[in-house]
Amino acid sequence: MKFQGMTIGVPMEIMHGERRVSATPDTVKKMVAEGATVLVEKGAGDGAFFADAAYVEAGGKIVEDVQEIFAKSDVILKVKEPLFNKKVNKHEAEMVRDGQYLITFLHPAAPVNHEMMKKLAATGVISITLDGIPRISRAQGMDALTSMSTVAGYKGVLMAANRLAKFMPMVGTAVGVIKPANVLVIGTGVAGLQAVATAKRLGAVVTAVDIRPDAREQSTSLGAKSFDVGVPADVAIGEGGYAQRLSDEWLHKEREALKPLVKDSDIIILCALIPGKLAPILITADMVASMAPGSSIIDISIDQGGNCELTDAGEVVVKHGVSIDGTKNIPGMMPTSSTWMFANNVFQLLSFLAKDGKIVLDRTDPIIESTLTTIDKQIVHRGAREAMGL
């Protein structure tokens, strides 16, 4: 049995507004069936409408003190990075221990998480970051980033529309026709494509930008106007077909090409990411200032630093009359659907890692190589080391 003798901990998420949980009763049932003891913090699933009783029925054990879960578990499953837990007056990074496994979204390259990463390394915990899962066929079922990007792209457009001071679709009235809103989506990966589709459903005129030709082509199939910023494919496309980091010269050219689009946009959805590295700054303060007051920016890439120079992580601010949303947990605003996807992704990853009741790390495997973040009291994640100057 895969998890025989293994104790798996599921603490409640403590980020403000976070309603997801790392396991559902269904995934708990699967883990228990494979021999695991699963400890679930009391109320952990309430925000996503999974009741304690459902976890008990699935074979899980409800625990009131989160410190007990951290102390007894071989593996801790979380959704978001470790934070300070006010209830027990301790940082979650101080509750993990040497040799324990932590599986969650760590976003280790983001500057806001660097101190937390150092704390994790010092404890000796073996941490695995879900944002590092490579997009290869055998890892599709583990790819929580793709799952959560689907939610973020959809919900991000709804959030922007809610703040916009005008209609999204063209509306005919007795006194004339109101033009549809202009929506600019930058980065048409999973989140961006979902944003394009959602904005089109709401009746907006959508322009999509991506430095990769194939990604632009996908956006046109959803009804967007595609805009080429002029970056050659051999410069734009990296390993696995992902966007790669541009030189300062090409980044400057991309920003210059974006300026007229930004100026004419009512809504901008920012989704441009480079796997495992800081997100590029594509929208500068001057570009924000060129937008009409009342416009809205949703910076979905904020967990990896953000695409807008003026985004404040975790905050919604108004600068130059433009609303700039740096919400860090957009998928947490749709907790039932996002939890269902996330929990199944985590179960698939855990099943891949576990053999006969133990976690086995083959560091030559691309899944392990790209997700392993701390081990042997060292930060080993390449993107984090690069961002931290290690």
Side-chain angles (χ1 to χ4, degrees), residues 20 105 144-153 331 338-339 341-342 345:
R20 290 173 293 176
F105 277 122
L145 186 60
T146 290
S147 295
M148 297 305 99
S149 293
T150 299
V151 180
S338 55
T339 287
M341 289 190 286
F342 183 89
N345 292 142

Side-chain angles (χ1 to χ4, degrees), residues 83-159:
L83 298 167
F84 186 80
N85 190 322
K86 294 179 181 177
K87 188 163 67 173
V88 297
N89 203 34
K90 276 187 182 177
H91 199 287
E92 289 176 315
E94 297 169 352
M95 290 192 271
V96 294
R97 65 175 189 279
D98 193 4
Q100 188 177 47
Y101 287 84
L102 170 66
I103 299 175
T104 187
F105 277 122
L106 288 166
H107 301 291
V112 70
N113 290 332
H114 289 176
E115 286 305 312
M116 178 269 295
M117 290 307 308
K118 292 175 184 176
K119 286 182 181 180
L120 282 181
T123 66
V125 71
I126 302 165
S127 63
I128 293 171
T129 185
L130 294 166
D131 54 294
I133 296 286
R135 284 177 182 161
I136 56 179
S137 57
R138 64 189 176 91
Q140 285 181 344
M142 314 169 195
D143 192 355
L145 186 60
T146 290
S147 295
M148 297 305 99
S149 293
T150 299
V151 180
Y154 169 81
K155 185 67 172 179
V157 172
L158 300 184
M159 292 160 62

Side-chain angles (χ1 to χ4, degrees), residues 123-352:
T123 66
V125 71
I126 302 165
S127 63
I128 293 171
T129 185
L130 294 166
D131 54 294
I133 296 286
R135 284 177 182 161
I136 56 179
S137 57
R138 64 189 176 91
Q140 285 181 344
M142 314 169 195
D143 192 355
L145 186 60
T146 290
S147 295
M148 297 305 99
S149 293
T150 299
V151 180
Y154 169 81
K155 185 67 172 179
V157 172
L158 300 184
M159 292 160 62
N162 191 49
R163 291 199 182 93
L164 193 64
K166 56 171 68 173
F167 287 113
M168 285 279 278
M170 180 173 67
V171 176
T173 76
V175 290
V177 174
I178 299 174
K179 292 180 180 180
N182 291 319
V183 175
L184 175 62
V185 179
I186 301 179
T188 52
V190 175
L193 290 175
Q194 189 61 235
V196 166
T198 304
K200 285 297 294 182
R201 291 186 200 109
L202 292 175
V205 174
V206 183
T207 302
V209 173
D210 199 293
I211 59 176
R212 300 163 297 165
D214 287 351
R216 291 198 301 275
E217 186 177 339
Q218 287 180 309
S219 68
T220 59
S221 71
L222 294 172
K225 298 177 182 178
S226 173
F227 185 83
D228 184 355
V229 293
V231 178
D234 61 329
V235 174
I237 303 171
E239 185 179 349
Y242 296 109
Q244 66 180 354
R245 181 171 293 283
L246 300 180
S247 67
D248 289 344
E249 178 185 359
W250 277 113
L251 196 55
H252 174 72
K253 289 179 179 178
E254 183 178 6
R255 289 177 187 141
E256 289 298 309
L258 286 171
K259 281 184 177 179
L261 294 180
V262 169
K263 184 178 180 180
D264 291 339
S265 296
D266 300 301
I267 288 174
I268 300 178
I269 308 294
L270 297 172
C271 318
L273 295 173
I274 300 164
K277 297 185 179 181
L278 283 174
I281 296 295
L282 300 176
I283 306 296
T284 64
D286 288 344
M287 293 162 77
V288 173
S290 75
M291 298 175 70
S295 300
S296 180
I297 294 173
I298 306 291
D299 201 340
I300 290 174
S301 66
I302 191 60
D303 277 329
Q304 287 178 227
N307 291 143
C308 177
E309 184 179 17
L310 297 182
T311 307
D312 287 346
E315 303 292 334
V316 180
V317 297
V318 177
K319 296 182 180 180
H320 304 291
V322 177
S323 168
I324 305 171
D325 192 329
T327 298
K328 291 193 67 181
N329 60 333
I330 293 175
M333 301 170 77
M334 289 183 60
T336 302
S337 292
S338 55
T339 287
W340 181 83
M341 289 190 286
F342 183 89
N344 278 288
N345 292 142
V346 170
F347 175 77
Q348 292 290 331
L349 175 59
L350 192 59
S351 296
F352 166 74

